[in-house]
Structures are given as structure tokens and as C-alpha cells.
Amino acid sequence: MIQANMVASNNLDSINIEEVLKFVEEQVLQHTGTRLSGAEKLIIKGSWGGKDYTDIARESEYNTYYLQQKVGPRLWLMLSEALGGVKVKKTHFKEILLKQMKKHYVQLEASKLNSDSLVGKTKFYGEFPKLTSFGVEKKT
């Protein structure tokens, strides 16, 4: 899992692409019930690295037309829906994903704090001691 402090500090360089893919795949799987295809993963990796469709195609077995016209538009639409309706495009994918990852990990950390909290879960047995004053000595 991605370190929450890396995401919170906006340090995109320290976020590994495999961690990004894992996060995206989790979101897509929850939303659609399916996993990312090989071509979709290639587009995500390439987009994260600032590559255009021609560069991505050149480094893969796919042609530019297929990636740009067939896979890309469906991928960005699916990600838009999986990430809560935020319009995702190739040109600003990295920034949107960083915001979504921040939001996700902040909520995750907050839920850990809430579930680990003792407030409302502590039980007292017996009677409380009878105190006439708390933290103040009586003069006799």
C-alpha cells in the first residue's frame, strides 16, 4: 500500500507506478467488478510517465489508433465513474489520481483512528472512588 505521507505531501516522484496501478485497479474492481486489461494498464503507465499514445504504442504490441480511439476513451470514462464522477482525461490524469489517492488514504487513516479509539468502548467495573476534590489537597 502507498505510504499515506507520500500522497499527502504531493510527492509524485516517490509514488511507484505499480502502487498507482494497484490503487486504480482496486477502484475499478469495486466499481465494475472487472480488472484492467493489458492495454488499459499500458495507457495508465504511459500517461503517468507523460507519454502520448504514439510513444505508448511504439513501446508495445498495440497500434496508436487502437490505444487512442478504442481503449483510451473507454478507460477515461470508466475511471471517471470509478473515481466518483470526477472527469478523468489523459491530460490531467496524474493530478486527478493524486487527489483521489489523497482522499482515499485520508479516509482510510481516519477510519483506523475511529475503529482504534477507546471512546465509547471503555467499560468500568465496580464503583468510582469517592473524591471530595480532584487534584487539590485539603488543608486540615
Side-chain angles (χ1 to χ4, degrees):
M1 181 165 62
I2 297 172
Q3 298 289 327
N5 59 351
M6 281 196 271
V7 175
S9 69
N10 285 330
N11 192 351
L12 293 174
D13 297 329
S14 62
I15 298 176
N16 180 312
I17 187 60
E18 295 305 319
E19 294 169 333
V20 171
L21 279 171
K22 183 178 178 182
F23 174 79
V24 171
E25 187 135 48
E26 286 174 9
Q27 302 306 307
V28 168
L29 187 59
Q30 286 178 4
H31 182 73
T32 66
T34 61
R35 299 201 175 273
L36 295 170
S37 71
E40 290 167 338
K41 288 179 183 179
L42 279 172
I43 292 174
I44 290 169
K45 285 180 182 180
S47 298
W48 190 263
K51 296 178 181 175
D52 62 21
Y53 286 109
T54 304
D55 292 334
I56 297 168
R58 194 177 300 128
E59 298 171 1
S60 73
E61 68 223 36
Y62 302 102
N63 66 45
T64 304
Y65 173 81
Y66 177 71
L67 294 176
Q68 188 172 18
Q69 301 297 319
K70 299 292 183 182
V71 181
R74 286 182 301 170
L75 173 64
W76 305 127
L77 179 62
M78 177 176 58
L79 290 179
S80 295
E81 293 170 357
L83 296 174
V86 178
K87 185 145 177 112
V88 178
K89 292 185 175 185
K90 186 180 181 312
T91 55
H92 61 273
F93 163 71
K94 201 170 187 177
E95 292 78 20
I96 295 225
L97 191 60
L98 180 64
K99 286 179 186 175
Q100 293 299 314
M101 291 169 79
K102 271 187 194 180
K103 181 179 169 184
H104 175 77
Y105 289 112
V106 165
Q107 288 173 346
L108 187 63
E109 290 300 313
S111 71
K112 285 180 187 177
L113 289 175
N114 290 340
S115 66
D116 292 342
S117 175
L118 294 177
V119 175
K121 296 179 183 177
T122 305
K123 294 183 181 177
F124 294 98
Y125 298 95
E127 292 183 23
F128 287 108
K130 303 216 185 305
L131 299 174
T132 54
S133 63
F134 186 72
V136 180
E137 283 187 39
K138 279 187 160 184
K139 293 184 181 177
T140 55

